[in-house]
Amino acid sequence: MTNNSSIAAEITTVLDGAWHDLRETLRDEVDPQIQLGEPGCTVDQQRERVTNQLRALAARGHGRIGFPHEYGGTHDYGASCAAFEIQAFGDLSLLVKSGVQFGLFGGAVARLGTAQHHETYLRPIMDGELLGSFAMTEVGHGSNVQRLETTAAYDAETDELVIHTPTPSAVKTYIGNAARDAELAVVFAQLMTAEGGHGVHAVLVPVRDQTGATMPGVTIGDNGVKAGLPGVDNGTFAFDQVRVPRTNLLDAYGGIDGSGNYVSTIENENRRFFTMLGTLVRGRVCVGGGSGSAAKKALAIALRYGASRRQFEAPGDQQETVVLDYLAHQRKLLPRLAKSYALSLAQNLVIERLEELQGAEAGDKNQEGQRELETRVAGLKAVQTWHALDTIQTCREACGGAGYMAENQLAQMRADVDVFTTFEGDNTVLLQLCAKGLLTDYKEMWGDLDPRGTARAISRQLAEGMVERTTGRARLQKLLDVAKGRDDDSALDDRGWQLSMFEQRADHSLEGLARRLRRIGDGDAFEVFNKAQDHLLFAARTHIDRVVFEAFAEAVDGMDQGPARALLDQVCSLYALSSIEADRAWFLEHGRINTTRSRAITTQVNDLCQALRPHVDVLVDGMGVPEALITAPIAARRV
Amino acid sequence: MTNNSSIAAEITTVLDGAWHDLRETLRDEVDPQIQLGEPGCTVDQQRERVTNQLRALAARGHGRIGFPHEYGGTHDYGASCAAFEIQAFGDLSLLVKSGVQFGLFGGAVARLGTAQHHETYLRPIMDGELLGSFAMTEVGHGSNVQRLETTAAYDAETDELVIHTPTPSAVKTYIGNAARDAELAVVFAQLMTAEGGHGVHAVLVPVRDQTGATMPGVTIGDNGVKAGLPGVDNGTFAFDQVRVPRTNLLDAYGGIDGSGNYVSTIENENRRFFTMLGTLVRGRVCVGGGSGSAAKKALAIALRYGASRRQFEAPGDQQETVVLDYLAHQRKLLPRLAKSYALSLAQNLVIERLEELQGAEAGDKNQEGQRELETRVAGLKAVQTWHALDTIQTCREACGGAGYMAENQLAQMRADVDVFTTFEGDNTVLLQLCAKGLLTDYKEMWGDLDPRGTARAISRQLAEGMVERTTGRARLQKLLDVAKGRDDDSALDDRGWQLSMFEQRADHSLEGLARRLRRIGDGDAFEVFNKAQDHLLFAARTHIDRVVFEAFAEAVDGMDQGPARALLDQVCSLYALSSIEADRAWFLEHGRINTTRSRAITTQVNDLCQALRPHVDVLVDGMGVPEALITAPIAARRV
């Protein structure tokens, strides 16, 4: 092992985090035949290919990761997120199809269902024998799930639930697995009994028989061609008084007993709804992590090409200059590489927390921890997916015409990741959820948060002191304490000063927002809230930036001294300073830096880009993208 | 005509500029059958469709616009750019295919060829009977055209040119019309005679015979599937000692006489090369304008959807809120609408200038005017295409899942426009060209500008006084003069103050850059230049921002008083303030605004968004997107 490859291996281990061994195993097992797509096929061919690949993955046991051991599952719950990230280095249609089958559909049966559902369905789901859909979104209701219109009315006479689509806007749409494959669907609908409505619940509804014929009363449509994800058969479901047994209700949080009475351990309808949704937070965790993998693969391709492509000669040179030696090219790619590292480390902490809170060992006591996790995941997913989209696009442009050709892999990734910014929660809506979670210190349910409710909660918070507290990580706190009070004198690579900047940006914007929203009176609630919406988004984003940077700083701080740590230390500074640089207007406006320092930060970002340039090969290898999945001719390894 | 529609009509007239009548005629003639594509077809089907549509457009005479009247052309040269913008409201594969055929291929024959070429080729080219390619880019040489490797060696014995591809990196690639249709190609190659090399020239080379069979010695490849533009048959050409008559050399700027001697009216090889390329600047003008149309269409779709889609209810409301009533949604779409207006007006001035300098009435005396136009076009194309990409993407996200579905038209546009940022000149390279043109006051040829030459030119400029002068438009100068010297007191909607901000940003960044580059010594030229690359890009971009804003301000100032002017006045302020807001860090760093004012600008942008919200329908209609080409179901006009 050369020195460089041992440095890269150490970096990979750090980035892999707690599930390093599983990730390594999955990397070893990578099989391009069943994990990559082929450009230029028709939608039908793509769907056929992906369904076959899904079954091949299931045959290798990939579908079992994270399901309960007693029904044949393997590994822990968090492992399924780590595995998802490795799978995301392959074709993203396959990734999303797998995510629908094992994560959303299988996950809903596992999390919202009870023993009888597990007994009946989990094995065939894990093995890819029973393909299914997660039918939540409706034509008229995307982000606002509580307003779904589909109904599930209990008929006491026959002990059945009647699933119905009352209006065109109630048609389920964009549903993965719907157009071609699903036999069974988890349908989210307003549950109604003789007592009245109980809010949104999930019901298992057969949509095709085993021959593939559509079930009576069900209408299946095809969403057809999309911007990307050609191998995913998104479609629509409409139900015309479709009857299923009462026992098809996934009743972990609310059910109907043998006498036709609604029963739930959670009294409050809003709380029940958000508790149910909270158990499905893994979907967002996976989407964020998967998009991160796509960004890494794009960077690997663009950086390798940039390190070999030459264009324009410097005066006196015969040979043209390597494009990655140009500052402008470094500026495009290296800060995004640094952010990819940062997000990867933040993602690891989220997965660990998910396992703690929802894994086999978890109780369900920690409501506040669950809300905090959901808050963080909402914001992080938005930041991760926008980063991925921006990064893949930048990589495409950095590769010029070659980046536009399908064979170089960026085109399909770019088209596929696009929708990650609006599915599993629209990013703009998610950032608002994140901000509201912060404002109310995770103590309120999101659903209760109409503007006036939020204003009341904020007033309480402000009365009690700080809205948001520091992470309380002792290791980072030390660095912070040293840095405090000498802002404009600190070296720009002082980790404590960097942490302090991230902290001040996040805290001050949130506190300012809280003060602003507290002014909400009685009549003008929507207006006040709406006028502060850009502030709200900023507060959420800067909170996530801080969480991400703290994860990076802590990871570096935990490494042994040596060349790998020295390198990541610089990458960490590049992340910190390019984030501060992007918001330097805010820091100036709020007197956190002076104009001299502001300009020095830009210079330092440039210097860090040039300092990292010689280490690009190591930093690319360190990301741990399986070599067999990089087939782009422009990224061929030079010997 | 209702009041609103008359306001919209007035706005369209302003946006249309000098070629309003032609644009209106083309709008009336719009035919979705031959101007729109169909999602989900195979590449072969798309190519077939586009070739047929191209011929149908030619049959209607669209290919004749802008060609010399004596060979059957119609309208003036500038008109071809206006027509291109209208065509860009339709399918962009068809647009690019047309651009290759009539603009690049036909344009090269018209501009680089002489009477005998015109006589022989222009009619069949205009009529779509002779399809051809513009074969410039090579595998190893995209931006750096002077380093092309393909050779055209004169053989005096046979009076022929021998076209040859000496290395794999010399293969022509990404060439439109190559993979399927071209019979003839304009091949850019290093011209060599017994005297030696004469630099890059263009030669007509038959690549297929009339049956479609590849000509001997020519190898044609297919670039296959791309990120977008599925209907354009991009491909590769390699030449193995292919012989063509000497007269196939397009010899307007340099030719070989009957005795085999090289003759040119332009002595200097660099100057000759850039003069030849300069005649082709229309390609960049069209790409910028075409991308602008795509952005407008995307905004029309997203704004109409945003004005009808509802999600989440305000407290006390039964109905959910229209999403365009949310500030965050307005913030996404309205500043981009304002910028689209601004760019459209700047584009008009460029087309007028192109017509002045290269139209039938133009001499070829005005070398400096030509360089100035090229400088402006280089920068404007970069800003326009990035704006279009960013806008279409934002519109896609603003439409959520619906925006991802092909039927809503955003997906294909997004994928197609992507490559506009790197073809017809890579945007990053173009911005650098723009900055270099400014630094040397357009007096130097770009090709001479190695860093040391640039430094010398800059020193001369600085010695002579200002690097860049104001536009000298008397009307704007008055506004400016009034505003000077009371920066932080002016109202934010004071046009003079806004103009002064744009002027200061552009001038100061260019002057600072010039001072920085003057330090270039003898050994470190590349290093100094490279370290200033981000500054260079900023100077170019802010110059273009200023040009664009001046165009907008002047257009508004020229309107009659009334509701249309009042509306555009606000749109103009929104453009100005959102541009200043985006760079407020720079304004703060350079003491041009104080922190209070900086924050007030953000508030004012928000207020302008809310003020314009009720006028969205008029502003959408004002853009003049032909209704028949908006087929997205989510953008259906409500009655």
Side-chain angles (χ1 to χ4, degrees):
Chain A
M1 202 181 252
T2 68
N3 191 35
N4 270 353
S5 65
S6 79
I7 298 172
E10 185 180 343
I11 291 174
T12 303
T13 307
V14 172
L15 286 183
D16 277 356
W19 284 272
H20 173 61
D21 292 344
L22 174 67
R23 291 182 201 253
E24 282 289 280
T25 305
L26 291 172
R27 282 191 189 102
D28 289 344
E29 289 175 4
V30 149
D31 181 350
Q33 281 300 314
I34 62 167
Q35 288 181 258
L36 290 181
E38 199 185 323
C41 296
T42 63
V43 164
D44 284 344
Q45 290 165 339
Q46 299 273 18
R47 289 176 175 181
E48 171 90 20
R49 187 250 311 160
V50 167
T51 304
N52 291 336
Q53 289 178 324
L54 176 78
R55 292 214 161 96
L57 286 178
R60 296 189 179 190
H62 286 213
R64 295 178 168 264
I65 301 174
F67 278 103
H69 291 280
E70 59 265 48
Y71 303 105
T74 58
H75 298 281
D76 55 32
Y77 195 56
S80 61
C81 302
F84 194 87
E85 287 180 43
I86 299 295
Q87 205 194 328
F89 292 126
D91 178 61
L92 297 175
S93 284
L94 176 60
L95 180 81
V96 170
K97 182 98 170 177
S98 307
V100 168
Q101 170 68 17
F102 306 118
L104 295 178
F105 170 59
V109 173
R111 296 274 148 176
L112 302 181
T114 45
Q116 50 126 337
H117 306 110
H118 301 162
E119 285 286 354
T120 313
Y121 297 113
L122 287 187
R123 266 176 209 279
I125 288 174
M126 292 186 282
D127 293 345
E129 287 159 19
L130 174 67
L131 300 185
S133 286
F134 179 86
M136 181 182 273
T137 299
E138 296 177 356
V139 169
H141 310 85
S143 298
N144 193 2
V145 177
Q146 279 188 290
R147 291 280 290 234
L148 292 178
E149 292 177 78
T150 302
T151 51
Y154 179 64
D155 180 349
E157 302 253 330
T158 60
D159 199 24
E160 288 173 322
L161 288 164
V162 184
I163 313 300
H164 188 62
T165 303
T167 67
S169 66
V171 172
K172 298 293 180 184
T173 191
Y174 316 139
I175 309 301
N177 258 348
R180 184 183 189 274
D181 285 333
E183 284 181 40
L184 191 64
V186 172
V187 175
F188 288 81
Q190 303 287 351
L191 182 65
M192 304 189 296
T193 66
E195 306 146 80
H198 308 283
V200 173
H201 287 65
V203 185
L204 290 168
V205 182
V207 290
R208 285 186 180 87
D209 66 21
Q210 292 205 328
T211 73
T214 304
M215 298 294 282
V218 179
T219 304
I220 301 181
D222 191 328
N223 286 130
V225 185
K226 307 184 294 290
L229 299 178
V232 183
D233 56 325
N234 295 90
T236 65
F237 291 130
F239 305 99
D240 182 12
Q241 313 283 357
V242 174
R243 290 177 168 267
V244 299
R246 170 175 55 89
T247 51
N248 278 26
L249 179 65
L250 296 176
D251 56 353
Y253 296 93
I256 298 172
D257 66 16
S259 330
N261 296 315
Y262 181 77
V263 285
S264 171
T265 53
I266 307 174
E267 186 80 18
N268 180 289
E269 188 179 309
N270 260 328
R271 181 171 287 269
R272 190 191 311 133
F273 172 72
F274 285 105
T275 302
M276 285 168 63
L277 284 196
T279 63
L280 306 175
V281 71
R282 182 180 61 169
R284 274 180 198 157
V285 174
C286 285
V287 164
S291 70
S293 297
K296 286 177 188 166
K297 184 170 163 185
L299 284 164
I301 293 167
L303 284 165
R304 283 202 187 147
Y305 185 56
S308 64
R309 173 80 173 173
R310 292 173 179 275
Q311 208 73 186
F312 296 110
E313 61 277 15
D317 280 2
Q318 270 309 301
Q319 217 178 9
E320 292 175 284
T321 303
V322 171
V323 297
L324 195 54
D325 289 340
Y326 292 108
L327 175 65
H329 213 77
Q330 294 165 4
R331 269 270 181 179
K332 286 179 191 172
L333 299 179
L334 296 181
R336 290 178 171 87
L337 177 84
K339 188 167 179 179
S340 284
Y341 270 67
L343 288 170
S344 204
L345 292 159
Q347 173 75 1
N348 288 347
L349 298 185
V350 161
I351 303 178
E352 286 177 39
R353 190 74 178 134
L354 178 73
E355 174 58 26
E356 280 168 35
L357 289 166
Q358 297 194 356
E361 308 296 312
D364 55 8
K365 301 276 162 48
N366 192 346
Q367 286 294 326
E368 194 175 328
Q370 173 68 25
R371 291 293 89 73
E372 185 182 355
L373 175 68
E374 288 165 33
T375 297
R376 179 163 302 191
V377 168
L380 191 58
K381 182 267 183 185
V383 171
Q384 285 169 310
T385 54
W386 269 329
H387 167 70
L389 190 61
D390 163 66
T391 295
I392 302 170
Q393 179 62 31
T394 303
C395 289
R396 187 320 265 164
E397 293 179 30
C399 295
Y404 200 65
M405 300 300 127
E407 64 173 7
N408 288 319
Q409 298 189 293
L410 298 167
Q412 191 63 55
M413 265 198 286
R414 166 65 192 70
D416 295 340
V417 160
D418 189 333
V419 79
F420 286 40
T421 63
T422 54
F423 76 4
E424 281 292 312
D426 174 273
N427 280 358
T428 302
V429 174
L430 289 181
L431 282 178
Q432 293 176 66
L433 289 184
C434 177
K436 290 181 186 176
L438 297 174
L439 284 168
T440 56
D441 209 19
Y442 318 120
K443 284 189 183 119
E444 309 282 324
M445 305 298 300
W446 289 336
D448 292 324
L449 282 185
D450 70 23
R452 229 164 299 137
T454 304
R456 276 195 298 272
I458 293 164
S459 292
R460 275 200 304 279
Q461 285 307 118
L462 285 175
E464 289 164 21
M466 254 292 284
V467 170
E468 161 72 345
R469 74 254 53 102
T470 64
T471 52
R473 291 199 184 115
R475 187 178 261 162
L476 297 180
Q477 194 57 48
K478 257 191 310 187
L479 294 169
L480 255 169
D481 291 341
V482 175
K484 285 276 170 67
R486 51 180 180 84
D487 283 0
D488 278 347
D489 304 324
S490 311
L492 294 174
D493 60 358
D494 183 303
R495 189 61 25 89
W497 173 77
Q498 294 167 354
L499 284 163
S500 159
M501 287 294 101
F502 277 71
E503 183 185 270
Q504 290 181 43
R505 178 174 57 178
D507 283 353
H508 185 92
S509 62
L510 191 66
E511 284 162 23
L513 177 65
R515 276 192 300 274
R516 204 168 154 186
L517 294 182
R518 202 162 47 144
R519 294 197 297 259
I520 291 176
D522 275 334
D524 58 353
F526 174 79
E527 198 56 24
V528 174
F529 228 86
N530 197 35
K531 272 186 182 296
Q533 211 176 14
D534 56 336
H535 195 158
L536 198 76
L537 296 173
F538 184 77
R541 205 260 293 153
T542 56
H543 168 74
I544 296 299
D545 289 343
R546 173 195 186 171
V547 164
V548 169
F549 181 53
E550 287 178 350
F552 202 164
E554 200 170 29
V556 172
D557 201 55
M559 288 174 77
D560 294 334
Q561 295 294 342
R565 177 171 171 156
L567 196 52
L568 282 202
D569 192 63
Q570 285 189 300
V571 176
C572 187
S573 279
L574 179 58
Y575 170 68
L577 293 174
S578 46
S579 173
I580 296 170
E581 185 192 29
D583 278 341
R584 65 197 201 284
W586 187 91
F587 287 103
L588 287 164
E589 283 170 355
H590 294 80
R592 310 291 157 142
I593 56 174
N594 61 33
T595 57
T596 308
R597 194 163 178 82
S598 177
R599 296 161 78 165
I601 288 167
T602 295
T603 306
Q604 182 81 350
V605 169
N606 290 349
D607 290 349
L608 278 168
C609 284
Q610 303 211 321
L612 288 172
R613 165 68 185 94
H615 305 286
V616 157
D617 286 349
V618 173
L619 291 170
V620 166
D621 290 347
M623 290 191 292
V625 185
E627 210 56 50
L629 298 180
I630 301 179
T631 58
I634 57 170
R637 257 187 190 289
R638 285 160 305 152
V639 200
Chain B
M1 200 182 253
T2 68
N3 191 34
N4 271 353
S5 66
S6 80
I7 298 172
E10 185 181 344
I11 290 175
T12 303
T13 308
V14 173
L15 285 183
D16 276 356
W19 283 271
H20 173 62
D21 292 343
L22 174 66
R23 291 182 201 253
E24 283 290 279
T25 304
L26 291 173
R27 282 191 189 100
D28 289 344
E29 289 175 5
V30 149
D31 181 351
Q33 280 301 314
I34 62 166
Q35 289 181 258
L36 290 181
E38 197 185 324
C41 297
T42 64
V43 164
D44 284 344
Q45 290 165 337
Q46 299 273 17
R47 289 176 176 181
E48 170 90 20
R49 187 251 311 161
V50 167
T51 304
N52 292 337
Q53 289 178 324
L54 176 78
R55 292 214 161 96
L57 286 178
R60 296 190 180 190
H62 286 213
R64 296 178 167 264
I65 300 173
F67 280 104
H69 291 280
E70 58 264 48
Y71 302 105
T74 58
H75 298 281
D76 56 33
Y77 195 57
S80 61
C81 303
F84 194 87
E85 287 179 41
I86 300 295
Q87 205 193 328
F89 292 126
D91 178 60
L92 298 175
S93 284
L94 176 60
L95 180 80
V96 169
K97 181 99 170 175
S98 307
V100 168
Q101 169 68 17
F102 305 119
L104 294 177
F105 170 58
V109 172
R111 296 275 148 176
L112 302 180
T114 46
Q116 52 126 338
H117 306 110
H118 300 163
E119 284 287 356
T120 313
Y121 297 113
L122 286 187
R123 267 177 209 278
I125 288 174
M126 291 184 284
D127 293 345
E129 288 159 18
L130 174 67
L131 301 185
S133 286
F134 180 85
M136 181 182 273
T137 298
E138 298 177 356
V139 169
H141 310 85
S143 298
N144 193 0
V145 177
Q146 279 188 290
R147 291 280 290 235
L148 292 178
E149 291 177 78
T150 302
T151 51
Y154 179 64
D155 180 348
E157 301 253 329
T158 59
D159 199 25
E160 288 173 322
L161 288 165
V162 184
I163 313 300
H164 189 62
T165 303
T167 67
S169 67
V171 171
K172 298 293 181 185
T173 190
Y174 316 138
I175 310 300
N177 259 346
R180 184 184 190 274
D181 285 335
E183 284 181 40
L184 192 63
V186 172
V187 176
F188 288 82
Q190 302 288 350
L191 182 65
M192 303 190 296
T193 67
E195 306 147 80
H198 306 285
V200 172
H201 286 65
V203 185
L204 290 169
V205 182
V207 290
R208 285 187 180 85
D209 66 21
Q210 292 205 328
T211 72
T214 305
M215 299 294 283
V218 178
T219 304
I220 301 180
D222 192 329
N223 285 129
V225 185
K226 306 184 296 292
L229 298 178
V232 183
D233 55 326
N234 296 91
T236 65
F237 292 129
F239 305 98
D240 181 11
Q241 311 284 357
V242 173
R243 290 176 167 268
V244 300
R246 169 176 56 91
T247 50
N248 277 26
L249 179 65
L250 296 176
D251 56 353
Y253 295 93
I256 299 172
D257 67 15
S259 327
N261 296 315
Y262 181 77
V263 286
S264 172
T265 53
I266 307 173
E267 188 77 17
N268 179 289
E269 189 179 308
N270 260 329
R271 180 170 288 268
R272 191 191 311 134
F273 172 73
F274 285 105
T275 302
M276 285 168 62
L277 284 197
T279 62
L280 306 175
V281 72
R282 182 181 59 169
R284 275 180 197 155
V285 174
C286 285
V287 163
S291 69
S293 298
K296 286 177 189 166
K297 185 171 163 184
L299 284 164
I301 293 167
L303 283 164
R304 283 202 187 147
Y305 185 56
S308 64
R309 173 81 172 172
R310 292 174 180 274
Q311 207 74 188
F312 295 110
E313 61 277 14
D317 281 2
Q318 270 309 302
Q319 217 177 10
E320 293 176 285
T321 302
V322 171
V323 296
L324 196 54
D325 289 339
Y326 292 110
L327 175 65
H329 213 77
Q330 295 166 2
R331 268 271 183 179
K332 286 180 192 173
L333 299 178
L334 296 181
R336 290 179 171 88
L337 177 84
K339 189 168 180 180
S340 285
Y341 269 67
L343 289 170
S344 204
L345 293 159
Q347 172 76 0
N348 288 347
L349 298 184
V350 162
I351 302 178
E352 286 177 38
R353 189 72 178 136
L354 178 74
E355 174 59 26
E356 280 169 34
L357 289 166
Q358 298 193 356
E361 308 296 311
D364 54 8
K365 299 278 160 51
N366 192 347
Q367 286 294 324
E368 195 175 327
Q370 173 68 25
R371 291 295 86 74
E372 185 181 354
L373 176 67
E374 288 165 32
T375 297
R376 179 163 301 192
V377 168
L380 192 58
K381 181 266 184 187
V383 171
Q384 286 168 311
T385 54
W386 270 328
H387 167 71
L389 189 61
D390 163 67
T391 296
I392 302 170
Q393 179 62 30
T394 303
C395 290
R396 187 319 265 165
E397 292 179 31
C399 295
Y404 200 65
M405 300 300 127
E407 65 173 7
N408 288 320
Q409 299 189 294
L410 298 167
Q412 191 63 56
M413 263 198 286
R414 167 63 192 73
D416 295 340
V417 160
D418 188 334
V419 80
F420 286 39
T421 63
T422 55
F423 77 3
E424 282 291 313
D426 173 272
N427 280 359
T428 303
V429 174
L430 290 180
L431 282 178
Q432 293 177 65
L433 289 183
C434 177
K436 289 181 185 177
L438 297 173
L439 284 168
T440 57
D441 209 18
Y442 317 121
K443 284 188 183 123
E444 309 283 323
M445 307 297 299
W446 290 336
D448 293 324
L449 281 184
D450 69 23
R452 229 164 298 138
T454 305
R456 276 194 297 272
I458 293 164
S459 292
R460 275 199 304 280
Q461 285 306 118
L462 285 175
E464 290 164 21
M466 255 291 285
V467 171
E468 161 71 346
R469 72 254 55 100
T470 63
T471 52
R473 291 198 185 116
R475 186 178 262 160
L476 298 181
Q477 194 58 48
K478 255 190 310 189
L479 294 170
L480 254 169
D481 293 341
V482 175
K484 283 277 170 66
R486 51 179 181 86
D487 284 0
D488 278 346
D489 304 324
S490 311
L492 293 174
D493 61 357
D494 182 303
R495 190 60 25 90
W497 173 78
Q498 294 167 354
L499 284 163
S500 159
M501 287 293 103
F502 276 72
E503 182 186 271
Q504 290 181 43
R505 178 173 58 177
D507 284 353
H508 186 91
S509 62
L510 191 66
E511 284 162 22
L513 177 65
R515 276 191 301 275
R516 203 168 153 184
L517 292 181
R518 201 161 49 142
R519 294 198 298 260
I520 290 176
D522 274 337
D524 58 352
F526 174 79
E527 197 56 24
V528 174
F529 228 87
N530 197 35
K531 272 185 183 297
Q533 210 175 15
D534 56 336
H535 195 159
L536 198 76
L537 297 173
F538 184 77
R541 203 261 294 152
T542 55
H543 168 74
I544 296 299
D545 289 344
R546 173 195 185 169
V547 164
V548 168
F549 181 53
E550 288 178 350
F552 201 164
E554 200 169 29
V556 172
D557 200 56
M559 287 174 78
D560 293 333
Q561 296 294 343
R565 177 171 173 157
L567 197 51
L568 282 202
D569 192 62
Q570 285 189 300
V571 176
C572 187
S573 278
L574 179 57
Y575 170 68
L577 293 174
S578 46
S579 173
I580 295 170
E581 185 193 29
D583 278 341
R584 66 195 201 284
W586 186 92
F587 288 102
L588 287 164
E589 284 170 354
H590 295 79
R592 311 291 157 142
I593 56 174
N594 61 32
T595 57
T596 308
R597 194 164 179 81
S598 178
R599 296 161 78 166
I601 289 167
T602 294
T603 305
Q604 183 81 351
V605 169
N606 290 349
D607 290 349
L608 279 168
C609 283
Q610 303 210 323
L612 289 172
R613 164 67 185 95
H615 306 285
V616 158
D617 286 349
V618 173
L619 292 171
V620 165
D621 290 348
M623 290 191 292
V625 185
E627 210 55 51
L629 298 180
I630 301 180
T631 58
I634 56 170
R637 257 186 191 289
R638 285 160 305 154
V639 200

